[in-house]
Amino acid sequence: MIEFENVSKSYGAVRALEPMSLEFPEGETTVLIGPSGCGKSTILRLIVGLIRPDTGLIRVEREVLRPKNVVHLRRRMGYVIQEGGLFPHLTARENVVLMARRMGWNAQRIVNRVEELSDLVDIPLERLQSYPSQLSGGQRQRISLMRALMLDPDVLLLDEPLGALDPMIRAGLQDELKQIFATLGKTVVLVTHNIGEAAHFAERIVLLRSGRVVQEGTLHHLLHEPADPFVDEFVRAQRSPLDSLDRA
Ligand code: ADP
């Protein structure tokens, strides 16, 4: 469980988040959605402790996030940034095991965990010898997910994890990711700007605009009980052009 209590954040003169209180329930997937610049990535960066809130408190598993426990709490979180963020000079395997090595895991424990994860994300072990530039976009995302899951975190944070992929690969990986989330039962926070993807992953969608939560709820709520004209506008703007062709 992650809780925001009255959290706000500015970058200099830019107000990225207005004071907000939000909960990310344990073992559930919450999707953050909204137009570019509305504060989605800022929320993830605050949870993972890369930046500090100007006001308010963030609790991760009931512990208040503070400078002195941020490193400890961060180990309980896996973070997949946009485009994966793999180190290009390390092989896929080296990327995956980096933190476990630093934590002093023994070789056998590392081998076992890598095997388990390669099964989970469906990537053959031999592919792990490749460098990121030798992998496809979809494979890189699978490796990023392995890296995020290596230490078996309680919380998984994903920032547009499928944003850079072409539509066919994206659709396949969406299904697999959803299956993986269901298998793991972790607290997941996923950022997207695509309403179809949001509805695919989560019962609970949090729609943001200009650093404010406009509405929280299911896609059904957003469609049928929009809290604000912006909700309707946002959802309609994202409807597939094929929908209107279909109706024509
Ligand atoms: P999103 O992920 O929804 O696209 P962000 O959380 O990245 O939005 O950004 C929210 C706002 O904060 C935007 O106006 C963005 O330009 C601004 N912002 C984000 N990071 C920085 C930064 N490091 N310095 C200055 N402004 C930033």
Side-chain angles (χ1 to χ4, degrees):
M1 157 88 108
I2 303 164
E3 290 163 275
F4 274 34
E5 195 182 301
N6 224 13
V7 169
S8 68
K9 179 71 193 170
S10 296
Y11 300 99
V14 180
R15 185 80 154 158
L17 289 187
E18 299 293 339
M20 65 168 66
S21 295
L22 257 182
E23 284 189 5
F24 302 92
E26 184 135 9
E28 284 183 28
T29 300
T30 303
V31 170
L32 300 175
I33 190 167
S36 183
C38 69
K40 305 180 292 295
S41 304
T42 297
I43 293 178
L44 292 196
R45 281 185 231 126
L46 284 163
I47 296 174
V48 85
L50 291 175
I51 51 175
R52 295 186 58 197
D54 299 335
T55 64
L57 291 177
I58 298 171
R59 284 191 203 84
V60 178
E61 310 284 327
R62 281 171 284 281
E63 263 189 82
V64 174
L65 195 63
R66 299 187 192 283
K68 68 173 192 293
N69 64 4
V70 67
V71 173
H72 155 77
L73 282 177
R74 198 180 288 158
R75 289 200 186 117
R76 297 168 65 179
M77 302 184 223
Y79 183 30
V80 178
I81 62 170
Q82 286 176 25
E83 319 237 337
L86 295 172
F87 293 116
H89 60 291
L90 299 180
T91 64
R93 189 176 195 287
E94 286 165 343
N95 267 284
V96 170
V97 307
L98 198 63
M99 275 311 289
R101 281 221 181 104
R102 196 165 291 171
M103 304 266 302
W105 286 27
N106 70 39
Q108 192 56 52
R109 187 174 175 201
I110 290 179
V111 166
N112 294 346
R113 182 69 179 149
V114 168
E115 272 181 24
E116 217 172 272
L117 290 174
S118 73
D119 257 7
L120 180 76
V121 309
D122 196 24
I123 195 151
L125 277 173
E126 58 273 15
R127 291 306 287 150
L128 299 183
Q129 301 314 320
S130 309
Y131 286 89
S133 62
Q134 299 167 317
L135 297 168
S136 69
Q139 287 169 334
R140 278 199 290 273
Q141 285 313 90
R142 288 171 203 268
I143 301 293
S144 305
L145 187 61
M146 281 180 78
R147 181 172 69 174
L149 290 171
M150 184 69 191
L151 303 183
D152 198 17
D154 301 314
V155 171
L156 189 56
L157 308 167
L158 304 110
D159 198 343
E160 299 263 4
L162 308 175
L165 304 176
D166 75 54
M168 288 288 285
I169 309 266
R170 188 171 177 141
L173 252 180
Q174 268 176 3
D175 289 340
E176 282 185 56
L177 261 186
K178 190 175 177 185
Q179 184 60 46
I180 290 171
F181 297 163
T183 308
L184 295 172
K186 295 191 187 295
T187 306
V188 177
V189 185
L190 185 141
V191 163
T192 180
H193 57 256
N194 182 303
I195 190 83
E197 193 160 285
H200 180 84
F201 280 117
E203 278 287 291
R204 186 156 168 273
I205 298 171
V206 177
L207 176 61
L208 296 145
R209 182 196 198 187
S210 309
R212 286 193 178 84
V213 174
V214 185
Q215 188 164 4
E216 291 180 46
T218 61
L219 179 66
H220 187 86
H221 284 129
L222 301 191
L223 284 172
H224 299 290
E225 299 159 39
D228 182 287
F230 169 74
V231 179
D232 207 35
E233 232 172 79
F234 183 81
V235 174
R236 274 175 204 284
Q238 295 228 356
R239 284 257 164 113
S240 159
L242 292 177
D243 285 355
S244 43
L245 283 180
D246 211 23
R247 280 195 297 272

